[in-house]
Amino acid sequence: MERVIRLRLAVLFLEKFAEAAIFPFMALLFAERLGTGTAGLLIFAAFAGATVAGIWAGHLADTRGRRRVLVPAEAGRALAAAALALAVLPETRAADPVLAAWIAALPFLALAIAAGISTPTAEATVIDLATPERRRQIYGAVYWVTNVARASGTLAGAAAYGLWFGWLLAGIAGLAAAVTLALALALVETRPVERPAPFRPAEMLAGYAEVLRDRLFLRYAAGVALSLAVAAQLAHYVAVRLGSLPGTIKLIDWSGLHLALDGPGLFGLLRIENGLMVVALAPLVQILARNMSDTGRLTIGFALFAAGFWVLGWSTDAWLLIGFTALFTVGELLYAPPKLALMAALAPEAGRSRAAAVMNLGFRLALMTGAAGVAAVGHVPPQVMAALFLAGGLLAGWLLVDVARRVEGAAVPGRAARR
């Protein structure tokens, strides 16, 4: 069990590191060489391909076993990353930058599809092993690894973009190959299937229909998607609103010491604050909150989260923004592990990978609301957006607290909890 959990955390780190290091910067590369319209279409195609692949893989992992899906998916990730590296490396790419970008588009799409296949399968593997006693601990580790991987991946991508970007991709391909080898040698099947049935689209649709008939699971999925939609606005609405502020914002003006930041600089400071707090404080918060109930952590966490985003939606005061960024980060540290752990309690045993695929679809749709946030800058008053953030955060918390209460209060997990 411990070995499988460690392998899952390794896959998770690679997945989130690669996502942060590759996708934003490949979008920038496509925009520079092919134009923003074409780049947008390629990113959308990657999103659509990963989504469809995840839905298909979720069904296969539930009907054929996790190992049969996860190992080939990780091998595909390694091959796609290697092909993308070859297309991007200055030593091997085509002399024509436009042609080179089009050559890179195919392995880029393949990489997104491989990630889409891997994600719900790997998540279902953890759900298979996450006993009620260890869910908080396991999902606390999942949350921490996710944030460390995203932060380090973003830094690596930003530092390598340009001459060294291809070598970064080659390194990711090497890591993916090592993870694939480890999975092939050490991954124990957590859902054995003696006689895998042939793929039938009608069976797949029936399996997803069964997952979607669970009203409590749908309530959970809605709460998670809503919380992600609010959180996504940090990198979209808040970033653009602060980035478009004129002049500078005073940070320190005391005893001859003067420090002011422009809008983009202030937003960068808030992102650094958020990232450092998550990486440094996540283990400490889990220790301090270990005796709190899930409902208590969700209630307090979402209250802090909603209050923090309410201020980030309208304020231009540097210290107020810094203080409430810390507040929403602490809230996120409190609610994230129990929120993730609820998935293990709710996912039906015969459809765990399909449930994970549904959650990943909700995650991707929630992130798309970031575009609406960007479009709202300059057209919707900040106080209105702040009120929407507050309402969205509180509603997400209410939904998830209600789900947690039903799960905790069910004498027999399952049917009684889902009424």
Side-chain angles (χ1 to χ4, degrees), residues 101-182:
W102 280 114
I103 292 173
L106 186 59
F108 173 73
L109 294 175
L111 187 64
I113 290 170
I117 294 171
S118 172
T119 299
T121 310
E123 288 179 4
T125 302
V126 174
I127 295 173
D128 291 337
L129 300 174
T131 60
E133 298 77 21
R134 296 200 59 199
R135 281 172 189 161
R136 274 198 196 178
Q137 177 190 357
I138 291 172
Y139 283 100
V142 165
Y143 174 72
W144 187 80
V145 168
T146 297
N147 282 279
V148 171
R150 283 176 176 162
S152 55
T154 300
L155 290 174
Y161 186 71
L163 291 177
W164 299 102
F165 191 55
W167 291 110
L168 173 63
L169 293 170
I172 290 172
L175 286 174
V179 168
T180 303
L181 181 61

Coordinates of all heavy atoms in Angstrom, one line a residue, residues 101-182:
A101 N 6.9 25.3 -35.1 CA 5.7 25.3 -34.2 C 4.7 24.3 -34.6 O 4.1 23.6 -33.7 CB 5.2 26.7 -34.1
W102 N 4.4 24.2 -35.9 CA 3.4 23.2 -36.3 C 3.9 21.8 -36.1 O 3.1 20.9 -35.7 CB 3.1 23.4 -37.8 CG 2.2 24.5 -38.1 CD1 2.4 25.7 -38.8 CD2 0.8 24.6 -37.7 NE1 1.3 26.5 -38.8 CE2 0.3 25.9 -38.2 CE3 0.0 23.8 -37.0 CZ2 -1.0 26.3 -38.0 CZ3 -1.4 24.2 -36.8 CH2 -1.8 25.4 -37.3
I103 N 5.2 21.5 -36.2 CA 5.7 20.2 -35.9 C 5.5 19.9 -34.4 O 5.2 18.8 -34.0 CB 7.2 20.1 -36.3 CG1 7.3 20.2 -37.9 CG2 7.8 18.8 -35.8 CD1 8.7 20.3 -38.4
A104 N 5.7 20.9 -33.6 CA 5.6 20.7 -32.1 C 4.1 20.5 -31.7 O 3.9 20.0 -30.6 CB 6.2 21.9 -31.4
A105 N 3.2 21.0 -32.5 CA 1.8 20.9 -32.1 C 1.3 19.5 -31.9 O 0.6 19.2 -31.0 CB 0.9 21.6 -33.2
L106 N 1.8 18.5 -32.8 CA 1.3 17.1 -32.6 C 1.7 16.5 -31.3 O 0.9 16.0 -30.6 CB 1.7 16.3 -33.8 CG 1.2 14.9 -33.9 CD1 -0.4 14.9 -34.0 CD2 1.7 14.2 -35.1
P107 N 3.0 16.5 -31.0 CA 3.4 15.9 -29.7 C 2.8 16.7 -28.5 O 2.6 16.1 -27.4 CB 4.9 16.0 -29.7 CG 5.3 17.0 -30.7 CD 4.2 16.9 -31.7
F108 N 2.6 18.0 -28.7 CA 1.9 18.8 -27.6 C 0.5 18.2 -27.3 O 0.1 18.0 -26.2 CB 1.9 20.3 -28.0 CG 1.1 21.1 -27.1 CD1 1.6 21.5 -25.8 CD2 -0.2 21.6 -27.4 CE1 0.8 22.3 -24.9 CE2 -0.9 22.4 -26.6 CZ -0.4 22.7 -25.3
L109 N -0.2 18.0 -28.4 CA -1.6 17.4 -28.2 C -1.5 16.0 -27.7 O -2.3 15.6 -26.8 CB -2.3 17.4 -29.6 CG -2.6 18.8 -30.2 CD1 -3.2 18.6 -31.6 CD2 -3.6 19.6 -29.3
A110 N -0.5 15.2 -28.1 CA -0.4 13.9 -27.6 C 0.0 13.9 -26.1 O -0.5 13.0 -25.3 CB 0.7 13.1 -28.4
L111 N 0.8 14.9 -25.7 CA 1.1 15.0 -24.3 C -0.1 15.3 -23.4 O -0.3 14.7 -22.3 CB 2.2 16.1 -24.1 CG 2.8 16.2 -22.7 CD1 3.5 15.0 -22.3 CD2 3.7 17.5 -22.7
A112 N -1.0 16.2 -23.9 CA -2.2 16.5 -23.2 C -3.1 15.3 -23.1 O -3.8 15.1 -22.1 CB -2.9 17.7 -23.9
I113 N -3.2 14.5 -24.2 CA -4.1 13.3 -24.2 C -3.6 12.3 -23.2 O -4.3 11.7 -22.4 CB -4.2 12.8 -25.6 CG1 -5.1 13.7 -26.5 CG2 -4.8 11.4 -25.6 CD1 -5.1 13.4 -27.9
A114 N -2.2 12.1 -23.2 CA -1.7 11.1 -22.3 C -1.9 11.6 -20.8 O -2.2 10.7 -20.0 CB -0.1 11.0 -22.5
A115 N -1.8 12.9 -20.5 CA -2.1 13.3 -19.2 C -3.6 13.1 -18.9 O -3.9 12.8 -17.7 CB -1.8 14.8 -19.1
G116 N -4.5 13.3 -19.8 CA -5.9 13.1 -19.6 C -6.2 11.7 -19.3 O -7.1 11.4 -18.5
I117 N -5.5 10.7 -19.9 CA -5.7 9.3 -19.6 C -5.2 8.9 -18.3 O -5.8 8.2 -17.5 CB -5.0 8.5 -20.7 CG1 -5.7 8.7 -22.1 CG2 -5.0 7.0 -20.3 CD1 -5.0 8.0 -23.2
S118 N -4.0 9.5 -17.9 CA -3.4 9.1 -16.6 C -4.1 9.7 -15.4 O -4.2 8.9 -14.4 CB -1.9 9.7 -16.6 OG -1.3 9.5 -15.4
T119 N -4.6 10.9 -15.5 CA -5.1 11.6 -14.3 C -6.2 10.8 -13.5 O -6.1 10.5 -12.3 CB -5.5 13.0 -14.6 OG1 -4.4 13.7 -15.1 CG2 -6.0 13.7 -13.4
P120 N -7.4 10.5 -14.2 CA -8.4 9.8 -13.4 C -8.0 8.4 -12.9 O -8.5 8.0 -11.9 CB -9.6 9.7 -14.4 CG -9.0 9.9 -15.7 CD -7.8 10.7 -15.6
T121 N -7.2 7.7 -13.7 CA -6.7 6.4 -13.3 C -5.8 6.5 -12.1 O -6.0 5.7 -11.1 CB -5.9 5.8 -14.5 OG1 -6.7 5.9 -15.7 CG2 -5.7 4.3 -14.2
A122 N -4.9 7.4 -12.1 CA -4.0 7.5 -10.9 C -4.8 8.0 -9.7 O -4.5 7.5 -8.6 CB -2.9 8.5 -11.2
E123 N -5.8 8.8 -9.8 CA -6.6 9.3 -8.7 C -7.4 8.1 -8.1 O -7.5 8.0 -6.9 CB -7.5 10.4 -9.1 CG -6.7 11.7 -9.4 CD -7.7 12.9 -9.8 OE1 -8.9 12.6 -9.9 OE2 -7.1 13.9 -10.1
A124 N -7.9 7.3 -9.0 CA -8.7 6.1 -8.6 C -7.8 5.2 -7.8 O -8.3 4.5 -6.8 CB -9.4 5.4 -9.7
T125 N -6.6 5.0 -8.2 CA -5.7 4.2 -7.4 C -5.5 4.6 -6.0 O -5.5 3.8 -5.1 CB -4.3 4.2 -8.1 OG1 -4.4 3.8 -9.5 CG2 -3.3 3.3 -7.4
V126 N -5.4 5.9 -5.7 CA -5.3 6.4 -4.4 C -6.7 6.2 -3.6 O -6.7 5.8 -2.5 CB -5.0 7.9 -4.4 CG1 -5.0 8.5 -3.0 CG2 -3.6 8.1 -5.0
I127 N -7.8 6.4 -4.3 CA -9.1 6.2 -3.6 C -9.2 4.7 -3.2 O -9.7 4.4 -2.1 CB -10.2 6.6 -4.6 CG1 -10.2 8.1 -4.9 CG2 -11.6 6.2 -4.0 CD1 -11.2 8.5 -5.9
D128 N -8.7 3.8 -4.0 CA -8.8 2.4 -3.7 C -8.1 2.1 -2.4 O -8.5 1.2 -1.6 CB -8.1 1.5 -4.8 CG -8.8 1.5 -6.1 OD1 -10.1 1.8 -6.1 OD2 -8.2 1.3 -7.2
L129 N -7.0 2.9 -2.1 CA -6.2 2.6 -0.9 C -6.4 3.5 0.3 O -5.9 3.3 1.4 CB -4.7 2.6 -1.3 CG -4.3 1.6 -2.4 CD1 -2.8 1.9 -2.8 CD2 -4.4 0.2 -1.9
A130 N -7.2 4.6 0.1 CA -7.3 5.6 1.1 C -8.4 5.2 2.1 O -9.6 5.4 1.9 CB -7.7 7.0 0.5
T131 N -8.0 4.5 3.1 CA -8.9 4.1 4.2 C -9.4 5.3 4.9 O -8.7 6.4 5.0 CB -8.2 3.2 5.2 OG1 -7.1 3.8 5.8 CG2 -7.7 1.9 4.5
P132 N -10.6 5.3 5.5 CA -11.1 6.5 6.3 C -10.2 7.0 7.3 O -10.1 8.3 7.5 CB -12.4 5.9 6.9 CG -12.8 4.8 6.0 CD -11.6 4.2 5.5
E133 N -9.4 6.2 7.9 CA -8.5 6.6 9.0 C -7.3 7.4 8.4 O -6.7 8.3 9.1 CB -7.9 5.4 9.8 CG -9.0 4.6 10.5 CD -9.7 3.7 9.6 OE1 -9.3 3.4 8.5 OE2 -10.9 3.3 10.0
R134 N -6.9 7.2 7.1 CA -5.8 7.8 6.5 C -6.1 8.8 5.4 O -5.1 9.3 4.8 CB -4.8 6.7 5.9 CG -4.3 5.7 7.0 CD -3.1 5.0 6.4 NE -2.0 6.0 6.1 CZ -1.0 5.6 5.2 NH1 -1.0 4.5 4.7 NH2 -0.1 6.5 4.9
R135 N -7.3 9.1 5.2 CA -7.7 10.0 4.1 C -7.1 11.4 4.2 O -6.5 11.9 3.3 CB -9.2 10.0 3.9 CG -9.8 8.8 3.2 CD -11.3 8.8 3.2 NE -11.8 7.6 2.7 CZ -13.0 7.1 2.9 NH1 -13.9 7.8 3.7 NH2 -13.4 6.0 2.4
R136 N -7.2 11.9 5.4 CA -6.7 13.3 5.7 C -5.2 13.3 5.4 O -4.7 14.2 4.8 CB -7.0 13.7 7.1 CG -8.3 14.3 7.3 CD -8.3 15.1 8.6 NE -9.6 15.5 9.1 CZ -9.7 16.1 10.3 NH1 -8.7 16.4 11.0 NH2 -10.9 16.5 10.7
Q137 N -4.5 12.3 6.0 CA -3.0 12.3 5.8 C -2.6 12.2 4.3 O -1.8 12.9 3.9 CB -2.5 11.2 6.6 CG -1.0 11.0 6.5 CD -0.5 9.7 7.1 OE1 -1.2 8.9 7.7 NE2 0.8 9.4 7.0
I138 N -3.3 11.3 3.7 CA -2.9 11.0 2.2 C -3.3 12.3 1.4 O -2.4 12.7 0.6 CB -3.7 9.8 1.7 CG1 -3.1 8.5 2.4 CG2 -3.5 9.7 0.2 CD1 -3.9 7.3 2.1
Y139 N -4.4 12.8 1.6 CA -4.8 13.9 0.7 C -4.1 15.2 1.2 O -4.0 16.2 0.4 CB -6.3 14.1 0.7 CG -7.0 13.0 -0.2 CD1 -7.5 11.9 0.3 CD2 -6.9 13.2 -1.6 CE1 -8.1 10.9 -0.6 CE2 -7.4 12.2 -2.4 CZ -8.0 11.1 -1.9 OH -8.5 10.1 -2.8
G140 N -3.7 15.3 2.4 CA -2.8 16.4 2.8 C -1.5 16.4 2.0 O -1.0 17.4 1.5
A141 N -1.0 15.1 1.9 CA 0.3 15.0 1.1 C 0.0 15.3 -0.4 O 0.8 15.9 -1.1 CB 0.8 13.6 1.2
V142 N -1.2 14.9 -0.9 CA -1.5 15.1 -2.3 C -1.6 16.6 -2.5 O -1.0 17.2 -3.5 CB -2.9 14.5 -2.6 CG1 -3.4 15.0 -3.9 CG2 -2.7 13.0 -2.7
Y143 N -2.2 17.4 -1.6 CA -2.3 18.8 -1.8 C -1.0 19.5 -1.8 O -0.7 20.4 -2.6 CB -3.2 19.4 -0.6 CG -3.3 20.9 -0.6 CD1 -4.0 21.6 -1.5 CD2 -2.7 21.6 0.4 CE1 -4.1 22.9 -1.5 CE2 -2.7 23.0 0.5 CZ -3.5 23.6 -0.5 OH -3.5 25.0 -0.4
W144 N -0.1 19.1 -0.8 CA 1.2 19.7 -0.7 C 2.1 19.4 -1.9 O 2.7 20.3 -2.5 CB 1.9 19.2 0.6 CG 3.2 19.9 0.9 CD1 3.4 21.1 1.4 CD2 4.5 19.4 0.6 NE1 4.7 21.4 1.5 CE2 5.4 20.4 1.0 CE3 5.0 18.2 0.0 CZ2 6.8 20.2 0.9 CZ3 6.4 18.1 -0.2 CH2 7.3 19.1 0.3
V145 N 2.1 18.1 -2.4 CA 2.9 17.8 -3.5 C 2.4 18.5 -4.8 O 3.2 19.0 -5.6 CB 2.8 16.2 -3.8 CG1 3.4 15.9 -5.2 CG2 3.6 15.5 -2.7
T146 N 1.1 18.7 -4.9 CA 0.5 19.4 -6.1 C 1.0 20.8 -6.1 O 1.5 21.3 -7.2 CB -1.0 19.4 -6.0 OG1 -1.5 18.0 -6.1 CG2 -1.6 20.2 -7.1
N147 N 1.0 21.5 -5.0 CA 1.4 22.9 -5.0 C 2.9 23.1 -5.1 O 3.4 24.0 -5.8 CB 1.0 23.6 -3.7 CG -0.5 23.9 -3.7 OD1 -0.9 24.9 -4.2 ND2 -1.3 23.0 -3.1
V148 N 3.7 22.2 -4.5 CA 5.2 22.2 -4.7 C 5.5 22.0 -6.2 O 6.4 22.7 -6.8 CB 5.9 21.2 -3.8 CG1 7.4 21.1 -4.2 CG2 5.8 21.6 -2.4
A149 N 4.8 21.0 -6.8 CA 5.1 20.7 -8.2 C 4.7 21.9 -9.1 O 5.5 22.2 -10.1 CB 4.3 19.4 -8.6
R150 N 3.6 22.5 -8.9 CA 3.2 23.6 -9.7 C 4.1 24.8 -9.6 O 4.5 25.4 -10.6 CB 1.7 24.0 -9.4 CG 0.7 23.1 -9.9 CD -0.7 23.5 -9.5 NE -1.7 22.7 -10.1 CZ -3.0 22.5 -9.6 NH1 -3.3 23.2 -8.5 NH2 -3.8 21.8 -10.2
A151 N 4.5 25.1 -8.3 CA 5.4 26.2 -8.1 C 6.8 26.0 -8.8 O 7.3 26.9 -9.5 CB 5.6 26.5 -6.6
S152 N 7.3 24.8 -8.6 CA 8.6 24.5 -9.1 C 8.6 24.4 -10.6 O 9.5 24.8 -11.4 CB 9.2 23.3 -8.5 OG 8.3 22.2 -8.6
G153 N 7.5 23.9 -11.2 CA 7.3 23.8 -12.6 C 7.2 25.1 -13.3 O 7.8 25.4 -14.3
T154 N 6.5 26.0 -12.7 CA 6.4 27.4 -13.2 C 7.7 28.1 -13.2 O 8.1 28.7 -14.2 CB 5.4 28.2 -12.4 OG1 4.1 27.6 -12.4 CG2 5.3 29.6 -12.9
L155 N 8.5 28.0 -12.1 CA 9.8 28.6 -12.0 C 10.7 28.0 -13.1 O 11.5 28.7 -13.8 CB 10.4 28.4 -10.6 CG 9.7 29.2 -9.5 CD1 10.3 28.8 -8.2 CD2 9.9 30.7 -9.8
A156 N 10.7 26.6 -13.2 CA 11.5 26.0 -14.2 C 11.2 26.4 -15.6 O 12.1 26.7 -16.4 CB 11.4 24.5 -14.0
G157 N 9.9 26.5 -15.9 CA 9.5 26.9 -17.3 C 9.9 28.3 -17.6 O 10.4 28.6 -18.7
A158 N 9.7 29.2 -16.6 CA 10.1 30.6 -16.8 C 11.6 30.8 -17.0 O 12.0 31.5 -17.8 CB 9.6 31.4 -15.6
A159 N 12.3 30.0 -16.2 CA 13.8 30.1 -16.3 C 14.3 29.5 -17.6 O 15.3 30.0 -18.2 CB 14.5 29.4 -15.1
A160 N 13.7 28.5 -18.1 CA 14.2 27.7 -19.2 C 13.7 28.2 -20.5 O 14.2 27.9 -21.6 CB 13.9 26.2 -19.1
Y161 N 12.6 29.0 -20.5 CA 11.9 29.4 -21.8 C 12.9 30.1 -22.7 O 13.6 31.1 -22.3 CB 10.7 30.3 -21.5 CG 9.9 30.6 -22.7 CD1 9.2 29.6 -23.4 CD2 9.9 31.8 -23.3 CE1 8.5 29.8 -24.5 CE2 9.2 32.1 -24.5 CZ 8.5 31.1 -25.1 OH 7.8 31.3 -26.2
G162 N 13.0 29.7 -23.9 CA 14.0 30.2 -24.8 C 14.9 29.2 -25.2 O 14.5 28.1 -25.7
L163 N 16.2 29.4 -25.0 CA 17.2 28.4 -25.4 C 17.2 27.1 -24.7 O 17.6 26.1 -25.3 CB 18.6 29.1 -25.3 CG 18.9 30.3 -26.2 CD1 20.3 30.8 -25.9 CD2 18.9 29.8 -27.7
W164 N 16.8 27.1 -23.4 CA 16.9 25.9 -22.6 C 15.6 25.2 -22.5 O 15.5 24.2 -21.8 CB 17.4 26.2 -21.2 CG 18.8 26.8 -21.3 CD1 19.1 28.2 -21.2 CD2 20.0 26.2 -21.5 NE1 20.5 28.3 -21.3 CE2 21.0 27.1 -21.5 CE3 20.4 24.8 -21.7 CZ2 22.4 26.8 -21.7 CZ3 21.7 24.5 -21.9 CH2 22.7 25.5 -21.9
F165 N 14.5 25.6 -23.2 CA 13.2 25.1 -23.0 C 13.2 23.6 -23.5 O 12.6 22.7 -22.9 CB 12.1 25.9 -23.7 CG 10.7 25.5 -23.3 CD1 10.3 25.5 -22.0 CD2 9.8 25.2 -24.3 CE1 9.0 25.1 -21.7 CE2 8.5 24.8 -24.1 CZ 8.1 24.8 -22.7
G166 N 13.8 23.4 -24.6 CA 13.8 22.0 -25.1 C 14.5 21.0 -24.2 O 14.1 19.9 -24.1
W167 N 15.6 21.5 -23.6 CA 16.3 20.6 -22.6 C 15.5 20.3 -21.4 O 15.5 19.3 -20.8 CB 17.6 21.2 -22.2 CG 18.6 21.2 -23.4 CD1 19.0 22.3 -24.1 CD2 19.2 20.0 -24.0 NE1 19.9 21.9 -25.1 CE2 20.0 20.5 -25.0 CE3 19.1 18.7 -23.7 CZ2 20.7 19.6 -25.8 CZ3 19.8 17.8 -24.5 CH2 20.6 18.3 -25.6
L168 N 14.7 21.3 -21.0 CA 13.7 21.1 -19.9 C 12.7 20.0 -20.3 O 12.4 19.1 -19.5 CB 13.0 22.4 -19.5 CG 11.9 22.2 -18.5 CD1 12.4 21.8 -17.1 CD2 11.1 23.6 -18.3
L169 N 12.2 20.1 -21.5 CA 11.3 19.1 -22.0 C 12.0 17.7 -22.0 O 11.3 16.7 -21.7 CB 10.8 19.4 -23.3 CG 9.9 20.7 -23.4 CD1 9.6 21.1 -24.9 CD2 8.6 20.4 -22.7
A170 N 13.2 17.7 -22.4 CA 14.0 16.4 -22.4 C 14.1 15.8 -21.0 O 14.0 14.6 -20.8 CB 15.3 16.6 -23.1
G171 N 14.3 16.7 -20.1 CA 14.4 16.3 -18.7 C 13.1 15.7 -18.2 O 13.1 14.7 -17.5
I172 N 12.0 16.4 -18.6 CA 10.7 15.9 -18.2 C 10.4 14.5 -18.8 O 9.8 13.6 -18.2 CB 9.6 16.9 -18.6 CG1 9.7 18.1 -17.7 CG2 8.2 16.3 -18.5 CD1 8.8 19.3 -18.1
A173 N 10.8 14.3 -20.1 CA 10.7 13.0 -20.8 C 11.4 12.0 -20.0 O 11.0 10.8 -19.8 CB 11.1 13.1 -22.2
G174 N 12.7 12.3 -19.5 CA 13.4 11.3 -18.8 C 12.8 11.0 -17.5 O 12.7 9.8 -17.1
L175 N 12.2 12.0 -16.8 CA 11.5 11.7 -15.5 C 10.3 10.8 -15.8 O 10.0 9.9 -15.0 CB 11.0 13.0 -14.9 CG 12.1 13.8 -14.2 CD1 11.5 15.2 -13.7 CD2 12.7 13.1 -13.0
A176 N 9.6 11.1 -16.9 CA 8.4 10.3 -17.2 C 8.8 8.9 -17.5 O 8.1 7.9 -17.2 CB 7.6 10.9 -18.4
A177 N 9.9 8.7 -18.2 CA 10.4 7.3 -18.5 C 10.7 6.6 -17.2 O 10.4 5.4 -17.1 CB 11.6 7.4 -19.4
A178 N 11.4 7.3 -16.3 CA 11.7 6.6 -15.0 C 10.5 6.3 -14.2 O 10.4 5.2 -13.6 CB 12.6 7.6 -14.2
V179 N 9.4 7.1 -14.2 CA 8.2 6.8 -13.5 C 7.5 5.7 -14.2 O 7.0 4.8 -13.5 CB 7.3 8.1 -13.5 CG1 5.9 7.7 -13.1 CG2 7.8 9.2 -12.6
T180 N 7.5 5.6 -15.5 CA 6.9 4.5 -16.2 C 7.6 3.2 -15.8 O 6.9 2.2 -15.6 CB 7.0 4.7 -17.7 OG1 6.4 5.9 -18.1 CG2 6.3 3.6 -18.5
L181 N 8.9 3.2 -15.8 CA 9.6 2.0 -15.4 C 9.3 1.5 -14.0 O 9.0 0.4 -13.7 CB 11.1 2.2 -15.5 CG 12.0 1.0 -15.2 CD1 11.7 -0.2 -16.1 CD2 13.5 1.4 -15.2
A182 N 9.2 2.5 -13.1 CA 8.8 2.2 -11.7 C 7.4 1.6 -11.6 O 7.2 0.7 -10.8 CB 9.0 3.5 -10.8

